[in-house]
Amino acid sequence: MSLVDTIRNTFVPIHREGYPFIAGFAGATIILGYFWEPLFWIGFVLTAWCIYFYRDPQRVTPIDDKLVISSADGIVSAVGPAVPPRELGLGTGEMTRISVFMNVFSCHINRAPVRGRIKTIVHKPGKFLNAELDKASAENERNSLLIESPNGEVAVVQIAGLVARRIVCWADENNALSIGERFGLIRFGSRVDVYLPQGFTPRVAIGQMAVGGETVIAEFGGAASAPLVRIS
């Protein structure tokens, strides 16, 4: 591997959504540093964090219609039955919900958990509670996508959090999504819920670290039960 390849692999690409914010942080840093040097270094650290926040790394996604891939980087905060958002029209029955919480240091690019066509996209205003709370799924501002996958309808819900105030989704209804394809992001700490129909078996546990676009969170048609885990 050449030196150029090493450098290219070390520096992660930045998503274009972050350019205005990075420019704003950098500009404020220069202006404040002109008046007082310590403010420059504080701004420098915040600018570096902003660059880190908007990183958009490549991911190695398994291509298999039987698998469900994590839509986000973060900690698995919930695995179990829950009623999906009513605005998606999925009824009042429970589905399997797998939630991933992203803190302010997580990569916030959101990816499609399955292959399929987007049937519905619905944005619903709401509160900005701590996204780790279970009630955030029902009360917080959210953006919900309903995907028609080869194994049934799968819902993906972007949920704003205590710090997150902006949900971005650049996908449109009737778009076709590939598994692991980028479809949006949430700024500054948040959560993504994935609702699965019957026939899927969870493959993650609460407290596990998930990598968006790579970690298998569920499997269709799996005969085995959800995995046992050990914390060590």
Side-chain angles (χ1 to χ4, degrees):
M1 181 179 291
S2 68
L3 178 60
V4 174
D5 291 330
T6 300
I7 294 174
R8 183 183 297 114
N9 292 334
T10 301
F11 291 95
V12 176
I14 305 301
H15 196 275
R16 63 182 182 276
E17 286 282 340
Y19 293 163
F21 292 89
I22 295 170
F25 272 83
T29 296
I30 294 172
I31 294 172
L32 293 174
Y34 177 80
F35 295 101
W36 193 37
E37 184 177 346
L39 290 178
F40 171 82
W41 293 110
I42 294 173
F44 178 82
V45 171
L46 291 175
T47 301
W49 168 78
C50 190
I51 293 172
Y52 180 72
F53 178 87
Y54 279 103
R55 66 195 184 279
D56 184 14
Q58 291 183 335
R59 295 290 162 81
V60 180
T61 304
I63 308 299
D64 190 334
D65 285 342
K66 295 187 300 182
L67 303 179
V68 182
I69 307 302
S70 178
S71 287
D73 287 25
I75 300 293
V76 177
S77 59
V79 179
V83 178
R86 65 178 62 184
E87 61 266 22
L88 288 176
L90 291 173
T92 58
E94 292 182 331
M95 300 175 69
T96 298
R97 183 185 67 188
I98 301 177
S99 303
V100 176
F101 174 75
M102 298 171 280
N103 63 34
V104 295
F105 297 104
S106 300
C107 175
H108 276 59
I109 300 295
N110 299 147
R111 296 171 178 265
V114 293
R115 175 178 69 86
R117 181 184 68 86
I118 301 176
K119 181 179 180 180
T120 305
I121 300 178
V122 184
H123 181 268
K124 185 174 179 59
K127 299 178 182 179
F128 296 96
L129 304 174
N130 185 343
E132 284 189 288
L133 299 175
D134 189 64
K135 62 182 179 180
S137 292
E139 299 184 22
N140 278 22
E141 179 166 335
R142 58 185 181 265
N143 187 67
S144 303
L145 290 76
L146 184 60
I147 302 173
E148 292 182 326
S149 81
N151 297 301
E153 294 181 328
V154 174
V156 186
V157 185
Q158 300 170 284
I159 301 173
L162 187 65
V163 180
R165 298 284 164 156
R166 174 65 170 157
I167 297 173
V168 179
C169 177
W170 50 77
D172 296 311
E173 291 183 355
N174 294 314
N175 278 177
L177 288 175
S178 301
I179 187 170
E181 182 178 345
R182 302 166 179 84
F183 70 85
L185 61 84
I186 316 174
R187 292 178 184 145
F188 310 126
S190 45
R191 169 174 156 183
V192 173
D193 289 346
V194 175
Y195 291 86
L196 303 170
Q198 292 184 353
F200 282 95
T201 302
R203 294 300 184 207
V204 288
I206 294 174
Q208 181 177 337
M209 179 67 72
V211 178
E214 291 191 356
T215 300
V216 176
I217 62 173
E219 180 180 359
F220 181 78
S225 60
L228 297 174
V229 298
R230 177 184 65 193
I231 299 176
S232 59

